[in-house]
Amino acid sequence: MEWKTAGLDDLPVYDKLVKLARNPFDLTAPGAMSPRRIASYKASAAGFDLLFSTQRVDDAVLHGLQQLADQSGAVDQFLDMKRGAVMNRIEGYESENRQVLHTACRDIFHEPPYNDGATQQAKKQLADLEVFLAQLDRGEVVNAEGKTFTDYINIGIGGSDLGPRALYLALSAYAQKNRRVHFISNVDPDDAAAVLQNLDLGRTLVGVVSKSGSTLETLTNEEIIRAAYARADLKPRDHFVAITGQGSPMDNPEKYLRSFHMYDYIGGRYSATSMVGGVMLGFGLGYAAFIDILRGANEMDRAAEERDIRKNPALLLALLGIWNHNFLGCETVAVLPYSQALLRFPAHLQQCDMESNGKSVTRNGERVSISTGPIVWGEPGTNGQHAFYQLLHQGTSIVPTEFIGFRKSQHEMDLEVKGTTSQQKLVANMLAQALALAAGQKDTNPNRFFAGNRPSSVLLADKLTPYAMGGLLALYEAKIVLQGFIWNINSFDQEGVQLGKVLANRFLNHMTIVDQGGVQDRSRHPGSWAMLEAAAIFKEDRRV
Amino acid sequence: MEWKTAGLDDLPVYDKLVKLARNPFDLTAPGAMSPRRIASYKASAAGFDLLFSTQRVDDAVLHGLQQLADQSGAVDQFLDMKRGAVMNRIEGYESENRQVLHTACRDIFHEPPYNDGATQQAKKQLADLEVFLAQLDRGEVVNAEGKTFTDYINIGIGGSDLGPRALYLALSAYAQKNRRVHFISNVDPDDAAAVLQNLDLGRTLVGVVSKSGSTLETLTNEEIIRAAYARADLKPRDHFVAITGQGSPMDNPEKYLRSFHMYDYIGGRYSATSMVGGVMLGFGLGYAAFIDILRGANEMDRAAEERDIRKNPALLLALLGIWNHNFLGCETVAVLPYSQALLRFPAHLQQCDMESNGKSVTRNGERVSISTGPIVWGEPGTNGQHAFYQLLHQGTSIVPTEFIGFRKSQHEMDLEVKGTTSQQKLVANMLAQALALAAGQKDTNPNRFFAGNRPSSVLLADKLTPYAMGGLLALYEAKIVLQGFIWNINSFDQEGVQLGKVLANRFLNHMTIVDQGGVQDRSRHPGSWAMLEAAAIFKEDRRV
């Protein structure tokens, strides 16, 4: 390893960046948005252009950010991660102590791979998947009546749902004929009930996704769907597919038609390109489309190794995020895709980013002295323009924005209205927003005054294909881990979700007892009895 | 009027609250979450309990917040609004200068109404809707082949989409048999294309929603759908319904089967209970269900007049929000419904809140001296628990949280797994999260330490019925306007969305010219040509 774990504020360049942040580039100054600036503030890789002339940076800041990348050893750490270093750990304390190898899932196009063991495991799963999908296509794997499968229910939560769902929705324009995919994730029984309406269970496959084989929400939903199969007099064994860790309680050929494996070196939120996304996407879009997703992701994974930040969109996006968050003091970041198909991509990024980098201790177990991960949120434009953009333009908070757009539509079913196509309107609106946020507008009516200097980036590609989707996913995965490396935090664990889980289970145990005989008189505190009970349990068991 | 427009920091109680905020209530102290506190920190109305023991408030702070409500005249302003005062204005400057009467849409159950004129208009529209829906039900209004309508496409954007869509999804468990509703909002042509797949246009009604009759995205999507009707050899006049302002370009019986009217005293983001939501919800859920929504909303509108903050959930939620935002310094608020049906409710609130209160000038046209509207975001639990909750528990930002839950499920198709039902698990998880965020947990492993003192509220009702949905919607509408009154801003205009619109149109005009002969050589700056062009236009036309 050529890098040491050091906090952002321990690096030599930190003070310089703090000083530069006192007078950040003024995007509202006359001539600030020069054609030269717009043309040259651009970083490209794997089919994506990152346009960043609307960020509050100049050449001096970019030089400082390059130093930040170099001094933190971000790229070296990224390479070590890909090679199989144990990056998921907290030095000196009990921790997950694992490798981080989601990149190995798509490292199948070049020899030698970065980590041979993980890539071989990925290739084995892909080969099994290819066989299974071909059997489905050729009608060799069919239901009890000999009919092919037309529908697929994905049961999973968190990383087993958000990433795969975002990708499927993004690419449903390329769905195979007569194939539909549905999702159940919430423990809310209405979620499962809504999916079961209007579904022919006899022609449906059910993919159950849980690495541990013991995720409560997922097992509960699986039971609900198994009960529906029983009521319909169908054998679940003919319909259910497990996507789980090798040897988990779910890795059981007596209960599942097939098992596909995931490994402990891939965290849930980074698992969309493993079998977690693969089985469902392969069923819905076809095997070739899934391989295209992997090809795009691999291309971006390789581009993210580039040391020159001007040639590495993932690294530059990470650094611009740190500039806005740690030096300009912005608490959130909005991801605004100008593509309806990317409807759920912000929700995936919200998980991937906030679960990775919403941390308060360093990799040495010390309390961090700087802000870590921002709050990530967003919705597709142009809808957002008719909604929360008011605050982006004129609110008292500054929200750095990441726009995502494409030059062509997916369906290419477009219509010219008033001289331009809808796709042209979409891109025009996106670029106009970036410029309006940056440059602002003076007006004698104070209510029509726009202060400007609200930073944004634009990610632009030709068309949202499977390849582009893979690239976009990998770009953000790389952005997130590179930021974590620079903040010196462990972006790969999630201890913060444990306490709520433990409390919920204690509470449920208590509820079971109450149901069986009544420990407390609920009627005394109508409305808040449940909270009272929860508090009582909490008090008893709390470790202090 | 008994109130004057004064900023939050001009009110006598402001300094007192600043002082109290230096030592906010410590939720992690031993015994802090006492049963007495949990039971008594509760405000109830219209079927909802607001549980707020997990907020960082004590009796002194609550007393201060009561004074804040009194001194700002928030409730008096709310009453004036309902009676028809011109609340949508900026004193001394050109502004929309309109009444704000969304509450009149549901003020149909008590005599006399607060504003007779607006309520009479609402009743007239409702009567027309009831007749139209009955004609559809009885097969008196049918397609050219004499068949009934089974599907409905809602074309609208912003307030004409988010609120209505959130309500329909929330209540689709109560959808009428053989009735389905679809939505198109984005100018992205793939949005319309995706809806058109698998739809029988011959049995579909199309509701086009635009107050002005000139919203570009909506007109473009209407043209796309009209073209699809033309291709299918169907007459749009037999299928298209207009929901628009009286006398707008869309108020045209030659083009539409029916017209329903909306009025300039109802802003888009507050229009879900007007005909904007009414026609679609009436088609999908039935007229009686829509009236139930109005009944719940009206009940909450009346409850929001209560001057005692301990008896007024909307007012208390507004004040707790201001406490967290302006006094404890939290920039965002998360809305986390433990109900999958409320999937899109946070997106509606995001618009309603951020477009209303993301402002920087007072109602007197002065620059505000305090922070106004927060950034609002959220996703349903329990999904979020497997995603971004890591940051809520252990991140370096504090995110105040508003949980929403129900004691019963909608479908009541539930299954006991491990001794409890899914609905019990759902509620248990929600309460456990509120307590975990508040109380935290000590641990010798720094990575398993939870600092606690992360504030939240829980909104709890029995079941997500149409009545409850109406109440919940009105509760948040009232919360938002009450906050705006206290911040002394105009929560009813949206000047901040204008600049982007103007720029996009200039850019589109320019694109048309480029397409017709080439003003610029695109190949010189591949990737950023569009931005260059946008900048060039921007520079020429910018008002300085």
Side-chain angles (χ1 to χ4, degrees):
Chain A
M1 291 197 217
E2 298 167 49
W3 49 274
K4 283 181 293 188
T5 58
L8 172 60
D9 49 352
D10 295 326
L11 300 175
V13 74
Y14 181 79
D15 289 341
K16 176 182 152 181
L17 286 168
V18 168
K19 268 183 215 134
L20 286 168
R22 283 180 205 143
N23 271 307
F25 185 75
D26 183 3
L27 296 162
T28 71
M33 297 298 297
S34 69
R36 201 189 140 274
R37 179 183 169 91
I38 292 175
S40 66
Y41 275 20
K42 178 163 76 88
S44 305
F48 278 88
D49 296 321
L50 174 65
L51 311 177
F52 61 96
S53 64
T54 43
Q55 291 284 355
R56 299 196 70 184
V57 296
D58 54 17
D59 288 348
V61 172
L62 289 171
H63 181 65
L65 294 176
Q66 178 71 59
Q67 289 177 293
L68 178 54
D70 297 341
Q71 291 173 13
S72 64
V75 169
D76 293 310
Q77 297 189 57
F78 186 70
L79 282 164
D80 279 355
M81 179 191 86
K82 285 168 82 167
R83 291 184 190 120
V86 179
M87 304 298 277
N88 178 1
R89 66 198 293 249
I90 302 282
E91 187 72 37
Y93 295 95
E94 201 189 324
S95 63
E96 294 193 327
N97 232 20
R98 290 175 184 164
Q99 296 168 292
V100 176
L101 283 167
H102 53 278
T103 48
C105 291
R106 53 248 191 172
D107 186 12
I108 57 171
F109 303 99
H110 302 273
E111 287 295 336
Y114 285 79
N115 184 291
D116 195 54
T119 289
Q120 292 318 319
Q121 288 185 308
K123 284 185 173 173
K124 167 77 172 63
Q125 295 304 312
L126 282 169
D128 287 355
L129 177 62
E130 190 175 14
V131 168
F132 179 56
L133 293 174
Q135 290 172 331
L136 291 173
D137 287 347
R138 290 196 300 254
E140 291 166 20
V141 171
V142 289
N143 72 5
E145 292 179 345
K147 286 189 181 156
T148 55
F149 293 101
T150 55
D151 290 74
Y152 186 105
I153 303 175
N154 189 78
I155 305 181
I157 194 163
S160 302
D161 172 70
L162 287 164
R165 192 194 295 236
L167 264 57
Y168 179 75
L169 294 176
L171 299 172
S172 61
Y174 307 99
Q176 298 207 95
K177 245 186 136 49
N178 300 321
R179 292 271 174 94
R180 283 167 301 275
V181 178
H182 318 269
F183 298 86
I184 302 176
S185 60
N186 203 316
V187 70
D188 183 345
D190 291 334
D191 196 12
V195 168
L196 286 179
Q197 288 178 335
N198 315 316
L199 200 61
D200 181 357
L201 288 184
R203 302 193 65 180
T204 301
L205 284 175
V206 183
V208 187
V209 191
S210 168
K211 186 154 64 180
S212 65
S214 66
T215 311
L216 185 64
E217 285 93 338
T218 299
L219 295 192
T220 302
N221 279 321
E222 181 179 3
E223 286 308 311
I224 288 176
I225 305 301
R226 282 186 182 267
Y229 271 85
R231 284 196 303 276
D233 222 5
L234 292 162
K235 278 192 211 147
R237 168 63 179 72
D238 297 342
H239 296 261
F240 279 55
V241 175
I243 297 100
T244 189
Q246 204 158 9
S248 95
M250 269 173 58
D251 191 12
N252 180 354
E254 287 176 22
K255 283 182 69 186
Y256 297 93
L257 177 63
R258 286 284 188 290
S259 284
F260 295 92
H261 293 139
M262 48 208 289
Y263 299 93
D264 72 355
Y265 49 70
I266 301 183
R269 56 192 176 272
Y270 296 100
S271 69
T273 54
S274 75
M275 286 299 113
V276 170
V279 183
M280 175 276 291
L281 292 167
F283 178 87
L285 313 177
Y287 184 74
F290 182 59
I291 295 297
D292 271 351
I293 294 172
L294 300 186
R295 190 173 283 117
N298 179 247
E299 188 72 20
M300 192 61 84
D301 286 342
R302 297 168 70 88
E305 295 169 14
E306 168 63 48
R307 284 167 200 279
D308 180 348
I309 65 170
R310 299 288 288 267
K311 296 178 180 165
N312 184 338
L315 178 57
L316 186 53
L317 202 60
L319 293 162
L320 292 169
I322 288 175
W323 172 249
N324 287 325
H325 187 58
N326 294 95
F327 296 96
L328 302 186
C330 303
E331 196 174 345
T332 77
V333 59
V335 178
L336 307 175
Y338 274 65
S339 156
Q340 191 61 22
L342 288 176
L343 179 65
R344 295 300 290 162
F345 190 59
H348 168 61
L349 291 186
Q350 189 172 61
Q351 130 149 305
C352 194
D353 199 324
M354 293 172 70
E355 195 172 21
S356 294
N357 290 340
K359 303 286 165 68
S360 288
V361 297
T362 69
R363 289 181 285 186
N364 308 311
E366 288 155 8
R367 193 152 185 85
V368 294
S369 49
I370 42 107
S371 275
T372 59
I375 293 154
V376 180
W377 60 284
E379 286 284 327
T382 58
N383 300 42
Q385 291 176 203
H386 292 259
F388 54 81
Y389 278 40
Q390 166 67 39
L391 185 145
L392 301 190
H393 286 284
Q394 290 191 320
T396 51
S397 292
I398 305 287
V399 181
T401 298
E402 293 171 4
F403 294 103
I404 303 171
F406 302 91
R407 296 182 188 91
K408 290 180 202 152
S409 69
Q410 288 181 317
H411 289 275
E412 303 202 26
M413 243 186 72
D414 208 338
L415 194 73
E416 231 176 69
V417 175
K418 298 190 180 170
T420 51
T421 64
S422 288
Q423 190 64 24
Q424 284 179 314
K425 289 187 185 77
L426 196 60
V427 173
N429 270 282
M430 177 177 70
L431 298 175
Q433 290 297 331
L435 286 168
L437 288 165
Q441 180 176 263
K442 294 201 167 58
D443 199 297
T444 52
N445 185 333
N447 203 31
R448 293 176 187 162
F449 171 82
F450 293 77
N453 273 324
R454 297 177 179 226
S456 68
S457 298
V458 174
L459 273 165
L460 199 60
D462 272 336
K463 188 172 169 175
L464 184 53
T465 58
Y467 177 87
M469 186 65 242
L472 184 64
L473 178 78
L475 187 153
Y476 270 98
E477 287 178 355
K479 174 203 172 186
I480 292 163
V481 305
L482 289 164
Q483 286 190 329
F485 294 149
I486 296 171
W487 285 320
N488 189 27
I489 56 177
N490 179 359
S491 301
F492 309 108
D493 65 358
Q494 54 282 322
E495 291 290 346
V497 306
Q498 296 304 323
L499 178 57
K501 255 190 227 180
V502 170
L503 286 180
N505 285 334
R506 282 183 206 158
F507 186 30
L508 283 167
N509 291 338
H510 191 68
M511 268 181 151
T512 318
I513 297 162
V514 171
D515 277 352
Q516 286 164 2
V519 171
Q520 246 161 326
D521 177 9
R522 294 180 184 192
S523 61
R524 272 179 56 212
H525 303 288
S528 58
W529 65 268
M531 198 131 185
L532 260 179
E533 289 175 15
I537 299 158
F538 190 57
K539 204 175 160 193
E540 286 158 25
D541 294 347
R542 189 157 146 226
R543 291 189 240 168
V544 178
Chain B
M1 293 198 212
E2 298 167 51
W3 49 275
K4 280 181 295 188
T5 58
L8 171 61
D9 50 352
D10 296 326
L11 300 174
V13 75
Y14 182 78
D15 289 341
K16 175 180 152 181
L17 287 168
V18 168
K19 268 182 216 134
L20 287 167
R22 284 181 204 142
N23 272 306
F25 185 75
D26 182 2
L27 297 162
T28 71
M33 296 299 298
S34 69
R36 200 190 139 273
R37 178 183 170 90
I38 292 175
S40 66
Y41 275 20
K42 179 164 75 88
S44 305
F48 279 88
D49 296 322
L50 174 65
L51 312 177
F52 61 96
S53 65
T54 43
Q55 290 283 355
R56 299 196 70 184
V57 297
D58 54 18
D59 288 348
V61 172
L62 289 171
H63 181 64
L65 293 177
Q66 178 72 59
Q67 289 177 293
L68 178 54
D70 297 341
Q71 291 173 11
S72 64
V75 170
D76 293 310
Q77 296 188 58
F78 186 70
L79 282 164
D80 279 355
M81 179 191 85
K82 286 168 79 164
R83 290 182 191 123
V86 179
M87 304 298 276
N88 178 1
R89 66 199 290 250
I90 303 283
E91 187 73 38
Y93 294 95
E94 201 190 324
S95 64
E96 294 193 327
N97 232 21
R98 290 176 185 163
Q99 296 168 294
V100 177
L101 283 167
H102 54 277
T103 49
C105 291
R106 53 250 191 172
D107 186 12
I108 57 171
F109 304 100
H110 302 275
E111 288 294 336
Y114 285 79
N115 184 291
D116 195 55
T119 289
Q120 291 319 319
Q121 289 184 307
K123 284 185 173 171
K124 167 73 171 65
Q125 295 303 313
L126 281 169
D128 287 354
L129 177 63
E130 190 174 16
V131 168
F132 179 55
L133 292 173
Q135 289 172 331
L136 291 174
D137 287 347
R138 290 195 300 256
E140 292 167 18
V141 171
V142 288
N143 72 5
E145 293 178 345
K147 286 188 180 157
T148 55
F149 293 100
T150 55
D151 291 74
Y152 186 103
I153 304 175
N154 190 77
I155 303 181
I157 194 163
S160 302
D161 173 70
L162 287 163
R165 192 194 296 236
L167 264 58
Y168 179 75
L169 294 176
L171 300 172
S172 60
Y174 307 99
Q176 297 207 94
K177 241 181 141 48
N178 299 321
R179 292 272 174 96
R180 284 167 302 275
V181 179
H182 318 269
F183 298 87
I184 302 176
S185 60
N186 203 316
V187 69
D188 183 346
D190 291 334
D191 196 14
V195 168
L196 286 179
Q197 288 178 332
N198 315 316
L199 201 62
D200 180 357
L201 288 184
R203 302 191 67 179
T204 300
L205 285 175
V206 183
V208 187
V209 191
S210 168
K211 187 155 61 179
S212 65
S214 66
T215 311
L216 184 64
E217 285 92 339
T218 300
L219 295 193
T220 302
N221 280 321
E222 180 179 4
E223 287 308 311
I224 289 175
I225 304 303
R226 281 185 183 265
Y229 272 84
R231 282 196 303 276
D233 222 6
L234 291 162
K235 278 192 210 145
R237 168 65 178 70
D238 297 342
H239 297 261
F240 279 55
V241 175
I243 297 100
T244 189
Q246 204 158 7
S248 95
M250 271 174 55
D251 191 13
N252 179 354
E254 287 174 22
K255 284 182 69 186
Y256 298 93
L257 177 63
R258 287 283 189 290
S259 283
F260 294 93
H261 293 140
M262 50 208 287
Y263 299 92
D264 72 355
Y265 50 69
I266 301 183
R269 56 193 177 271
Y270 296 100
S271 68
T273 54
S274 74
M275 285 300 112
V276 170
V279 183
M280 176 275 292
L281 292 167
F283 178 88
L285 312 176
Y287 185 74
F290 182 60
I291 296 296
D292 270 351
I293 294 172
L294 300 186
R295 192 174 280 115
N298 179 247
E299 189 72 21
M300 191 60 83
D301 285 341
R302 296 168 72 87
E305 295 169 14
E306 168 63 50
R307 284 167 199 280
D308 181 347
I309 65 170
R310 300 288 288 267
K311 296 178 179 165
N312 183 339
L315 178 57
L316 186 53
L317 202 61
L319 293 162
L320 292 169
I322 287 175
W323 173 248
N324 288 325
H325 187 59
N326 293 95
F327 297 96
L328 301 186
C330 303
E331 196 175 343
T332 78
V333 58
V335 179
L336 307 175
Y338 274 65
S339 157
Q340 191 61 22
L342 289 176
L343 179 65
R344 295 301 291 164
F345 190 59
H348 168 61
L349 292 186
Q350 190 172 60
Q351 130 149 309
C352 194
D353 199 324
M354 293 172 71
E355 194 172 20
S356 294
N357 291 339
K359 303 285 165 71
S360 288
V361 298
T362 69
R363 289 181 285 186
N364 308 311
E366 287 154 10
R367 192 148 187 88
V368 295
S369 49
I370 41 106
S371 275
T372 59
I375 293 154
V376 180
W377 60 282
E379 287 284 329
T382 61
N383 299 41
Q385 291 176 204
H386 292 258
F388 54 81
Y389 278 40
Q390 165 66 40
L391 185 146
L392 302 189
H393 286 284
Q394 290 190 320
T396 50
S397 292
I398 306 286
V399 181
T401 299
E402 294 171 3
F403 294 102
I404 303 171
F406 302 91
R407 296 182 188 89
K408 290 181 204 152
S409 69
Q410 288 181 318
H411 289 275
E412 303 201 26
M413 245 187 71
D414 209 337
L415 193 74
E416 232 176 67
V417 175
K418 297 189 180 171
T420 51
T421 65
S422 288
Q423 191 64 24
Q424 284 178 314
K425 289 186 184 77
L426 196 61
V427 173
N429 271 281
M430 177 177 71
L431 299 174
Q433 290 297 332
L435 286 168
L437 288 166
Q441 180 177 259
K442 293 199 169 59
D443 199 297
T444 52
N445 184 334
N447 203 30
R448 292 177 187 162
F449 171 82
F450 294 76
N453 273 326
R454 296 176 180 228
S456 68
S457 299
V458 174
L459 272 166
L460 200 60
D462 272 335
K463 187 172 169 175
L464 184 53
T465 59
Y467 178 86
M469 186 66 242
L472 185 63
L473 178 78
L475 188 153
Y476 270 98
E477 286 178 354
K479 174 203 172 187
I480 292 164
V481 305
L482 290 164
Q483 288 190 330
F485 295 150
I486 297 171
W487 284 321
N488 190 27
I489 56 177
N490 180 358
S491 302
F492 310 108
D493 65 359
Q494 53 283 321
E495 292 290 346
V497 306
Q498 295 305 324
L499 178 57
K501 254 190 227 178
V502 171
L503 285 180
N505 285 334
R506 282 184 207 160
F507 187 29
L508 284 167
N509 290 338
H510 191 67
M511 269 181 150
T512 318
I513 297 163
V514 171
D515 278 353
Q516 286 162 2
V519 171
Q520 244 160 329
D521 177 9
R522 293 181 185 189
S523 60
R524 273 178 56 212
H525 304 285
S528 56
W529 65 267
M531 200 133 181
L532 260 179
E533 288 175 15
I537 299 158
F538 191 56
K539 204 177 158 192
E540 286 157 26
D541 294 348
R542 190 156 146 226
R543 292 188 240 170
V544 179

